[in-house]
Amino acid sequence: MTAAAKITALALADRAKRAAKVAAEFADQVDIEGRFPSEGMDALKSERLMGIMIRPELGGEGASLTEVADVCAILGQACAATAMTYAMHQIQIASLADYAVGSAWHEALQKRICDEQLLIASATSEAGIGGNLRNSLCAIEVDGDTARLTKDATVISYGADADAIMVTSRRHPDAAHSDQVATIFLKDQYTLEQTSKWDTLGMRGTCSDGYIFKAEAPSEQILPRPFAEIAAQSMLAVSHLLWGSLWYGIAADAAARAQSFVKAAARKSPGQVPPGALRLAEASSLLQLVKANVVAGLKQFEGCKGDSDALNAMSFSVAMNNVKIGTSQTILEIINHCMLICGIAGYKNGTPFSLGRHLRDAHSAQLMISNDRILGNTSTMLLVNKQDTSLLG
Amino acid sequence: MKQTIRTLLAKHGNLPVAIEDVADGADLYDAGLSSFASVQVMLALEEEFDIEFPEHLLNRKSFSSVDEIAAALTEILEEQAA
């Protein structure tokens, strides 16, 4: 048995926990320096966690989205930047694994992802379009067997550290803005000219700089299915569920810190319930809500997987949007509670109870695909879609 | 029926192209139909035909072309008549 085979045979959660330990050690440094979480990502690669969702025939482990979500939650408790980078990479992997079936080039790429533990980024947002990933200005130009693309990408998370980038564009120069394709370009096929610097409040390690992206590659690298289908059936749901999982991780770690603070206070004054204890009980209840929200969403996704009618249903989009809204709002409430519990020890950097990074990282949650935009979409759908009033359905 | 669908698509579809240039079987999303506009068209159809779209027809596919919309409407109207 090779070393790689031995590692993959161990439980995914154990492998994730080992990688998370490394990521946690460098989390504050990554945050302060606003740099790529290379230690955490290297640890994920040595644990062979990059291609787990890929089919076993192509070298992966055929892991479910739920298993990947668990890895994200574990990483979220350690270093949110590592967790977010990993989650965003897995969003591209899910699209590849499910929507590039039958394409020899994309199957060979999946093999390489598993063998070489490649990191895949994505470029969907564009100057003039903003964050709406279902809209493109740039168009791919196919000339014989060659495809060329230039994109003014306002954000390419970890673009400089990725081995390949999945880029959305219009199908051809005459296509409507929403008639899109996604193309995967390998590192040696593109150039990145940096146009903006990612200097943010939180999630500083995702290095989501802006670039002018220019590429040329064989046209077989265009994904065989329309991007509309990939976005509707996979990308949106997978993003909301994986992000929700890592956000749960951030809040869970904050709650764990608050709990140890309350415990320490209780030890100091035996026989008395410390003042923060009630708040901790409230935070625990909110944390359970977030967890239940994510788990119910994952269950619904796994139940619909492979059934394009179910994945295209309006009720499914409403449910996934609600997972995103619910988790992203509630984690802030939880971390605020934890901050009140830990007091100055939580407010200060460098204590075992510090919560500044958690609070700042968690604030990104309502901005990643703006909650207002999502609420707008959901409210449109609710004009015709009936609210599901069943408890178990 | 298809003509009514086309009239409502022209009014509420907010397409970047003229609806006359889109074939009955052509993909409306590729032609630029947004999900917001598709809901507006759906509401207009509900009003026009005095119907309500059932849960199983509330998906992208039912609205992907003039033909698909017509098929969905036929299904709803037949069920109502039965």
Side-chain angles (χ1 to χ4, degrees):
Chain A
M1 199 190 253
T2 64
K6 252 186 231 159
I7 292 171
T8 48
L10 293 167
L12 284 173
D14 289 340
R15 286 152 59 192
K17 280 177 192 158
R18 283 201 301 260
K21 206 174 159 213
V22 177
E25 209 180 307
F26 293 92
D28 284 334
Q29 203 187 97
V30 161
D31 176 64
I32 290 167
E33 295 170 15
R35 67 163 173 84
F36 183 71
S38 34
E39 297 85 356
M41 292 311 295
D42 286 347
L44 286 165
K45 289 177 182 181
S46 7
E47 295 290 346
R48 316 284 302 168
L49 285 164
M50 303 303 279
I52 50 173
M53 251 196 298
I54 290 167
R55 299 203 301 278
E57 312 81 282
L58 299 176
E61 297 172 53
S64 66
L65 189 73
T66 306
E67 288 172 306
V68 173
D70 189 36
V71 174
C72 291
I74 291 167
L75 293 173
Q77 294 174 52
C79 167
T82 306
M84 184 49 81
T85 304
Y86 183 74
M88 290 196 279
H89 161 82
Q90 292 300 343
I91 297 165
Q92 322 318 322
I93 299 289
S95 303
L96 258 180
D98 292 339
Y99 295 89
V101 180
S103 156
W105 189 87
H106 293 95
E107 295 200 338
L109 174 68
Q110 291 181 60
K111 270 191 194 141
R112 276 192 63 193
I113 291 170
C114 297
D115 287 350
E116 303 166 36
Q117 295 290 297
L118 302 180
L119 175 65
I120 318 293
S122 91
T124 54
S125 49
E126 185 175 3
I129 288 292
N132 184 1
L133 86 167
R134 284 290 291 109
N135 235 332
S136 287
L137 285 177
C138 67
I140 195 150
E141 297 195 39
V142 179
D143 177 8
D145 291 334
T146 305
R148 286 185 196 89
L149 181 62
T150 298
K151 181 167 189 159
D152 184 355
T154 42
V155 169
I156 305 182
S157 295
Y158 55 92
D161 293 277
D163 300 300
I165 305 182
M166 184 192 277
V167 190
T168 54
S169 68
R170 287 186 292 140
R171 184 188 302 278
H172 50 78
D174 298 322
H177 289 175
S178 57
D179 184 8
Q180 297 164 292
V181 288
T183 309
I184 297 193
F185 293 100
L186 302 171
K187 204 176 181 72
D188 57 2
Q189 296 171 331
Y190 57 77
T191 57
L192 294 171
E193 182 197 323
Q194 194 170 338
T195 52
S196 67
K197 172 97 185 101
W198 180 253
D199 180 6
T200 47
L201 211 53
M203 284 291 180
R204 294 171 54 77
T206 61
C207 298
S208 307
D209 301 321
Y211 299 96
I212 302 283
F213 172 92
K214 276 191 191 142
E216 187 179 304
S219 56
E220 60 182 346
Q221 293 177 210
I222 302 172
L223 261 81
R225 306 267 282 272
F227 181 67
E229 209 178 297
I230 303 173
Q233 298 183 16
S234 162
M235 222 172 217
L236 288 174
V238 170
S239 310
H240 294 339
L241 293 169
L242 294 187
W243 293 348
S245 306
L246 79 95
W247 294 334
Y248 165 77
I250 300 175
D253 188 58
R257 288 179 186 216
Q259 182 169 24
S260 43
F261 184 87
V262 170
K263 258 184 151 171
R267 269 194 227 108
K268 264 188 215 150
S269 14
Q272 273 177 23
V273 179
L278 270 187
R279 283 237 158 80
L280 181 65
E282 282 180 329
S284 155
S285 147
L286 289 171
L287 191 65
Q288 190 173 323
L289 274 182
V290 172
K291 180 171 170 171
N293 200 353
V294 175
V295 171
L298 284 166
K299 207 171 150 198
Q300 190 169 352
F301 179 85
E302 302 285 12
C304 295
K305 199 163 189 318
D307 177 350
S308 64
D309 283 346
L311 292 172
N312 274 320
M314 228 179 233
S315 53
F316 178 73
S317 303
V318 169
M320 293 303 122
N321 283 357
N322 285 341
V323 168
K324 200 273 181 177
I325 297 289
T327 51
S328 61
Q329 289 178 345
T330 315
I331 55 166
L332 287 173
E333 228 178 302
I334 295 170
I335 297 169
N336 250 332
H337 265 65
C338 297
M339 193 74 95
L340 291 170
I341 296 165
C342 298
I344 291 295
Y347 194 64
K348 253 179 90 173
N349 293 323
T351 84
F353 311 106
S354 296
L355 292 168
R357 183 164 47 77
H358 299 70
L359 187 66
R360 288 181 291 107
D361 287 344
H363 266 282
S364 71
Q366 46 187 341
L367 312 173
M368 295 199 54
I369 309 188
S370 137
N371 275 9
D372 283 354
R373 190 200 300 276
I374 293 179
L375 285 168
N377 285 342
T378 305
S379 58
T380 305
M381 290 191 277
L382 289 176
L383 293 177
V384 288
N385 189 64
K386 285 195 195 67
Q387 179 74 39
D388 179 7
T389 53
S390 68
L391 178 66
L392 305 176
Chain B
M1 176 191 280
K2 281 185 186 167
Q3 196 45 52
T4 314
I5 295 169
R6 285 177 168 276
T7 309
L8 294 175
L9 273 168
K11 202 168 164 192
H12 303 280
N14 203 17
L15 290 171
V17 292
I19 189 69
E20 296 80 43
D21 297 339
V22 182
D24 281 353
D27 191 299
L28 289 167
Y29 296 107
D30 285 353
L33 183 74
S34 70
S35 16
F36 177 77
S38 72
V39 171
Q40 296 303 318
V41 175
M42 202 178 281
L43 281 174
L45 287 164
E46 287 192 343
E47 179 76 18
E48 176 76 27
F49 291 93
D50 192 23
I51 49 158
E52 203 169 295
F53 275 84
E55 164 77 26
H56 75 277
L57 289 174
L58 291 178
N59 57 49
R60 282 181 66 79
K61 191 172 163 279
S62 316
F63 266 71
S64 58
S65 67
V66 172
D67 281 342
E68 288 286 352
I69 300 175
L73 280 177
T74 308
E75 185 187 325
I76 298 167
L77 292 170
E78 272 172 7
E79 252 169 47
Q80 248 178 17

